[in-house]
Amino acid sequence: MKHILAVLTGGTIGSSLKNGIISPDNGSSALSVYEEWYHDDVKLTVCQPMNLLSENLNCHHWELLVNTLRAMPLDDYDGIIITHGSDTLSYSSAMLAMCLSDLPKPVVITASNLVPEHPDSNAAVNLHAAAVLIRTFARGIFTVYQNPGADGCAVYIPTRLCECHRYSGCFSSFDGTPYGLVKGDCFRQLLARPDAQELVNFHSPLMLTQPLTLSKEVLLLRPYPSMPYERITLPESVGAVLQITYHSSTACSEPENSALTLLQRCEERGIPFYMASFPKRSAGMYASTDILVKNGAIPLYDLSDEAAYAKLLLACNLYSDSRDWVSRDYYFETV
């Protein structure tokens, strides 16, 4: 029998529907439905450090969750399942993978599309897939989710998980392919790397010797035509700016509505200005991007928006100069 620590944080998987309103309850309904549908040989111990809809999550909740798990005695458990809301699942997956990768037990993060009691909810299926992974792996961090219409649960490297598509309701991997698939009681690996031994031997470069504190902010910007960069303020709490680029690794650099105006203010304040994501293999750089890079913009290569955000947030708060740490592999985030 596997003894699993079930860490409940709220979200749809921890909610109920009453009078047309979805709100968090005590979170146990998903576990009850899972135990009713499946008869896995597991014992669940419940921990609930927070209980909220994930769209209301902020950095203080990440601090609480990371510090709670890192302080817990885990010798009695064979693995950890973290239930979470789907709205910010990709962001929390990246953050938790980077902060918990040194734990000696497998950690699986999951969510659901509908409240657990709904007949079409994937809550129980996802929890079963999480239990399968804990039986399969001695160590490693994963996110699992059954997309609508899929035959089985996709298994993702958490730092490569991309935000759920608004229309299809499907999650995807930044590199285009999930790490693996759980179907029934079996796991099938789809990517050659990382293999099980790499997961066991992984050593994080993060030095989390103290409780995590995320006091410095990362200002994340998504471009759109006529974006008014000149109106964007830079509070004292900002430790870095992360400019998400268009798909060609570009942002506006023309005089009107130029990212260059914000970049220059960042340079004056000593705030690093990062751009994500650039492909390592490229036929060339567009002139608009070349201007920004020559004026101090720092490219980040081959990683998702969510991983870039989590990585910079940790680098800004753990180290005196985030530039020295952004090129390191926090948890298989670079494809």
Side-chain angles (χ1 to χ4, degrees), residues 194-214:
D195 59 28
Q197 198 59 45
E198 287 177 287
L199 294 173
V200 169
N201 293 336
F202 181 81
H203 295 288
S204 172
L206 295 179
M207 295 181 288
L208 290 175
T209 57
Q210 301 293 328
L212 180 65
T213 301
L214 300 173

Side-chain angles (χ1 to χ4, degrees), residues 36-93:
E36 179 182 345
W37 284 22
Y38 297 92
H39 300 284
D40 294 339
D41 190 20
V42 300
K43 174 185 176 183
L44 298 174
T45 296
V46 175
C47 167
Q48 190 169 37
M50 60 194 195
N51 192 23
L52 75 161
L53 295 173
S54 74
E55 59 268 29
N56 296 325
L57 179 141
N58 59 43
C59 288
H60 298 304
H61 296 108
W62 280 336
E63 292 172 351
L64 174 62
L65 187 53
V66 168
N67 293 334
T68 297
L69 287 171
R70 293 187 65 83
M72 290 192 72
L74 299 177
D75 291 345
D76 294 337
Y77 305 106
D78 296 294
I80 302 167
I81 296 175
I82 302 173
T83 61
H84 196 282
S86 59
D87 279 357
T88 56
L89 180 67
S90 56
Y91 286 92
S92 289
S93 291

Side-chain angles (χ1 to χ4, degrees), residues 283-302:
M285 182 181 292
Y286 284 91
S288 53
T289 304
D290 182 60
I291 292 172
L292 296 171
V293 172
K294 285 180 177 176
N295 279 273
I298 307 167
L300 298 177
Y301 293 92
D302 290 338

Side-chain angles (χ1 to χ4, degrees), residues 13 26 133 150 181 225-226 259 298:
I13 197 170
N26 64 11
L133 289 177
L181 185 72
S226 293
I298 307 167

